[in-house]
């Protein structure tokens, strides 16, 4: 496991750059997912625009004006914050500091903040000065949906992370009450919360800018599946707690290793080492490696997440300092399974995306796929269960069922409207 990039660079290249302590592996892969998906989103929006699904909107802009005081001050403020916090990392001993504590504290470097603020201000002034006219003009420009990918991405980031954190907080309310500061941690994010909140924000955005929503979500379906798969890489690499139930067919070694075990071995291990984080003795399954999959490593079926970012479990032998824990009983690496399934589903959606002429149908298929994937992975995943009419589903299972049903209904209604020749549903 690599809780942050410091440990990866140390292991892979033998270098010890302290500022990399601040680049959490999970956050790095989430950022990478947004960057890659922005490129894919731009490509698909352009393709759909050429097919006539999207049109441009006309926007009035004033050109030739010099930079205003407000623009200069806002650029200085943005540059100062980034320089004070981000560039300040390079001048800070980060080895024994919690990244979240630093980001949300008043600590930083004033000189780097002032320097970057001045640079941002100068760049804004220079760009505006190059375009300055003796008499500013009002012009009308045409803006296509793919020109708005930056705004779309920022909306998805802000409302996605906020929604993911809110849903995780509601799901783990008692833990939040014990430690409210956990809300600012990048671990503990509920994907469906991000999906729902970002979806609402993007629906509002498409209506505001007259973008056909059904065509838009057809583009977003495969993109969101890709983002989910890439984001889950961060969960697996960092060991952020999104793992499964215990697989009692395997045991761990004190140094962090996996080997086959018997059911009796598991029971003894639980009694001696793992009772402090076991909710009950049934929270496991006995699943040895199938013969037909013997070519796969043991850790594909059970993993102890050594050096996990949550520091959960028991101490590793011959390890001192932070991130020196591993799970004494191996678990199903469900984040690894979700990486494989999500990227496979993305491949399917990407391959069939041009076959459907009725807008919204591809997104309905996405909802069915993502709902089924999450519903079945929940069967071997550790999560908080709810109590509804004597049933005990997890939050994710409940939302998964609703998504599958909604996807089916959506496909049926849209296809029926298309067959009867009725006007498409108004979406903007």
């Amino acid at each position: 496991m690599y809780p942050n990039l410091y440990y990866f660079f140390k292991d892979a290249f033998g270098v010890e750059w302290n500022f990399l302590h601040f680049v959490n592996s999970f956050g790095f892969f989430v950022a990478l997912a947004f960057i890659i998906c922005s490129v894919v989103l731009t490509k698909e929006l352009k393709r759909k625009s050429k097919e006539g699904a999207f049109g441009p909107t006309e926007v009035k802009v004033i050109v030739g004006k010099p930079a205003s005081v407000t623009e200069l001050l806002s650029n200085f403020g943005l540059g100062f914050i980034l320089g004070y916090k981000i560039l300040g990392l390079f001048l800070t001993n980060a080895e024994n500091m919690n990244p979240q504590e630093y980001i949300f504290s008043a600590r930083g470097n004033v000189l780097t903040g002032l320097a970057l603020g001045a640079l941002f201000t100068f760049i804004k002034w220079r760009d505006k000065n190059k375009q300055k006219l003796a008499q500013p003009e009002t012009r009308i420009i045409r803006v296509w949906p793919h020109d708005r990918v930056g705004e779309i991405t920022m909306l998805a980031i802000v409302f996605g992370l906020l929604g993911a954190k809110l849903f995780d907080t509601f799901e783990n309310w008692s833990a939040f009450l014990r430690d409210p500061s956990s809300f600012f941690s990048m671990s503990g994010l509920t994907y469906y919360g991000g999906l729902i909140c970002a979806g609402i924000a993007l629906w509002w955005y498409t209506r505001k800018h007259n973008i056909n929503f059904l065509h838009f979500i057809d583009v977003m379906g495969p993109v969101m599946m890709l983002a989910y798969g890439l984001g889950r890489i961060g969960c697996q690499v960092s060991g952020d707690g999104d793992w499964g139930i215990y697989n009692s067919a395997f045991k761990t070694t004190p140094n962090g290793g996996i080997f086959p075990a018997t059911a009796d071995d598991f029971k003894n291990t639980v009694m001696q080492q793992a009772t402090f984080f076991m909710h009950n003795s049934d929270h496991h399954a006995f699943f040895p490696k199938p013969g037909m999959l013997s070519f796969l490593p043991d850790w594909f079926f059970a993993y102890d997440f050594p050096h996990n970012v949550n520091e959960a479990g028991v101490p590793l032998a011959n390890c001192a300092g932070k991130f020196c824990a591993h799970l004494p009983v191996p678990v199903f690496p469900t984040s690894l399974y979700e990486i494989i399934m999500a990227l496979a589903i993305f491949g399917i959606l990407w391959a069939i995306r041009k076959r459907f002429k009725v807008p919204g149908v591809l997104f309905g298929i996405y909802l069915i796929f993502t709902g089924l994937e999450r519903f079945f992975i929940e069967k071997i995943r550790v999560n908080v269960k709810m109590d509804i009419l004597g049933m005990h589903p997890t939050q994710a299972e409940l939302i998964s069922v609703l998504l599958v049903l909604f996807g089916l209904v959506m496909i049926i209604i849209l296809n029926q409207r298309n067959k009867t020749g009725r006007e498409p549903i108004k979406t903007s």
Side-chain angles (χ1 to χ4, degrees), residues 172-195:
N172 300 279
W173 187 250
S174 58
F176 168 74
L177 293 178
R178 289 194 301 269
D179 181 20
S181 66
S182 63
F183 184 84
F184 299 104
S185 170
M186 283 299 292
S187 62
L189 298 175
T190 300
Y191 170 71
Y192 282 147
L195 174 65

Side-chain angles (χ1 to χ4, degrees), residues 33-352:
F34 276 111
I35 293 171
I36 293 175
C37 290
S38 294
V39 174
V40 177
L41 177 60
T42 301
K43 173 183 172 66
E44 278 298 281
L45 288 174
K46 285 182 177 179
R47 181 183 69 82
K48 296 280 279 188
S49 294
K50 289 180 180 178
E51 294 177 351
F54 301 121
T57 54
E58 294 184 344
V59 178
K60 289 183 179 180
V61 297
I62 300 176
V63 297
K65 289 179 62 177
S68 66
V69 174
T70 301
E71 289 175 324
L72 295 177
L73 287 176
S74 63
N75 275 266
F76 175 82
L78 176 62
F80 179 81
I81 293 172
L82 293 175
Y84 183 74
K85 281 294 184 184
I86 306 303
L87 294 185
L89 297 181
F90 291 86
L91 303 177
T92 303
N93 182 8
E95 184 175 0
N96 296 313
M97 189 187 303
N98 182 290
Q100 282 76 29
E101 287 180 2
Y102 174 83
I103 293 299
F104 292 100
S105 72
R107 297 188 61 178
N109 190 287
V110 175
L111 291 179
T112 55
L114 292 173
L116 195 61
L119 178 61
F120 275 36
T121 304
F122 170 74
I123 292 174
K124 186 66 176 181
W125 172 84
R126 185 191 62 183
D127 290 344
K128 283 284 189 175
N129 197 55
K130 286 181 179 179
Q131 303 171 20
K132 188 168 64 174
L133 300 174
Q135 184 66 37
E137 301 175 358
T138 299
R139 297 177 184 174
I140 297 177
I141 61 172
R142 304 174 77 193
V143 181
W144 293 81
H146 57 261
D147 296 322
R148 302 183 184 276
V149 166
E151 297 175 359
I152 292 170
T153 302
M154 286 306 300
L155 269 179
I157 291 174
V158 172
F159 285 92
L161 291 178
L162 179 61
K165 204 61 197 174
L166 285 173
F167 272 64
D168 177 74
T169 300
F170 294 145
E171 188 177 23
N172 300 279
W173 187 250
S174 58
F176 168 74
L177 293 178
R178 289 194 301 269
D179 181 20
S181 66
S182 63
F183 184 84
F184 299 104
S185 170
M186 283 299 292
S187 62
L189 298 175
T190 300
Y191 170 71
Y192 282 147
L195 174 65
I196 293 170
C197 290
I200 294 172
L202 291 176
W203 171 79
W204 167 83
Y205 183 84
T206 55
R207 286 182 62 86
K208 178 182 177 182
H209 295 288
N210 201 30
I211 299 172
N212 186 291
F213 187 64
L214 289 179
H215 281 295
F216 179 75
I217 58 178
D218 274 346
V219 172
M220 288 299 296
V223 172
M224 289 189 294
M225 205 71 247
L226 175 61
Y228 187 65
L230 295 176
R232 277 294 186 223
I233 297 176
C235 297
Q236 178 67 24
V237 171
S238 66
D240 69 346
D242 282 315
W243 47 61
I245 61 176
Y246 308 106
N247 185 354
S248 54
F250 295 85
K251 285 185 64 175
T252 63
T253 66
N255 292 318
I258 305 295
F259 63 94
T262 66
D264 288 337
D265 288 332
F266 172 77
K267 292 175 183 177
N268 292 335
T269 304
V270 169
M271 290 174 59
Q272 295 170 11
Q273 301 179 44
T275 54
F276 69 95
F277 70 93
M278 288 282 287
H279 293 293
N280 57 70
S281 59
D282 297 324
H283 210 181
H284 72 277
F286 186 84
F287 187 81
K289 184 193 298 187
M292 62 183 296
L293 299 178
S294 60
F295 62 93
L296 292 173
D298 289 344
W299 52 259
F300 188 88
F301 302 93
Y303 196 46
D304 63 332
F305 287 91
H307 308 286
N308 65 82
V309 70
N310 289 348
E311 299 186 271
V314 297
L316 281 162
N318 304 317
C319 182
K322 289 179 67 66
F323 311 118
C324 281
H326 75 132
L327 304 181
V329 181
V331 296
F332 289 99
T334 50
S335 49
L336 174 61
Y337 304 155
E338 288 203 275
I339 294 168
I340 297 170
M341 289 188 289
L343 295 182
I345 293 171
F346 163 72
I348 294 171
L349 294 174
W350 189 259
I352 65 175

Side-chain angles (χ1 to χ4, degrees), residues 390-401:
M391 298 181 291
H392 299 88
T394 66
Q395 182 191 84
E397 283 178 329
L398 182 61
I399 297 177
S400 295
V401 172

